[in-house]
Amino acid sequence: QNLAALVRVAEGHQRIARQSGKIGDAVGAAKAVLVCSPGNNRGLLALARSLSIGQDYPAAADVYKKLIAQDQELSSTKREVARVY
């Protein structure tokens, strides 16, 4: 599968979820990215953002922690995780 296309689909669903509040498609698309590439930063970020849109803050925080553990240089991710606490 085309990983770049899957990432873009996940990010698109995430933007739609921000408007509708329905995160099912966004979470599913982000998880599809992670099936192909478990450590994909953009896939993890899409999943964390989608979970926080759905107000599942504990799960979002867990994904953000995993993302920060992978890449300490992601300053925007550190800001976002602060919002879910």
Side-chain angles (χ1 to χ4, degrees):
Q1 292 191 4
N2 186 337
L3 184 59
L6 284 175
V7 169
R8 300 227 20 198
V9 167
E11 291 171 344
H13 280 298
Q14 174 202 328
R15 286 190 288 276
I16 293 168
R18 193 173 296 134
Q19 300 297 318
S20 70
K22 297 177 183 174
I23 65 165
D25 289 340
V27 170
K31 287 183 177 180
V33 170
L34 297 173
V35 166
C36 293
S37 177
N40 186 284
N41 284 353
R42 288 177 65 188
L44 287 168
L45 190 56
L47 178 58
R49 287 174 174 168
S50 298
L51 291 169
S52 66
I53 289 168
Q55 298 180 353
D56 188 352
Y57 300 120
D62 289 342
V63 176
Y64 278 123
K65 286 178 190 175
K66 182 176 181 179
L67 187 55
I68 290 168
Q70 281 184 190
D71 190 348
Q72 295 289 321
E73 301 298 317
L74 295 172
S75 61
S76 64
T77 304
K78 292 176 185 175
R79 273 194 311 271
E80 290 182 32
V81 76
R83 292 182 193 143
V84 300
Y85 279 113

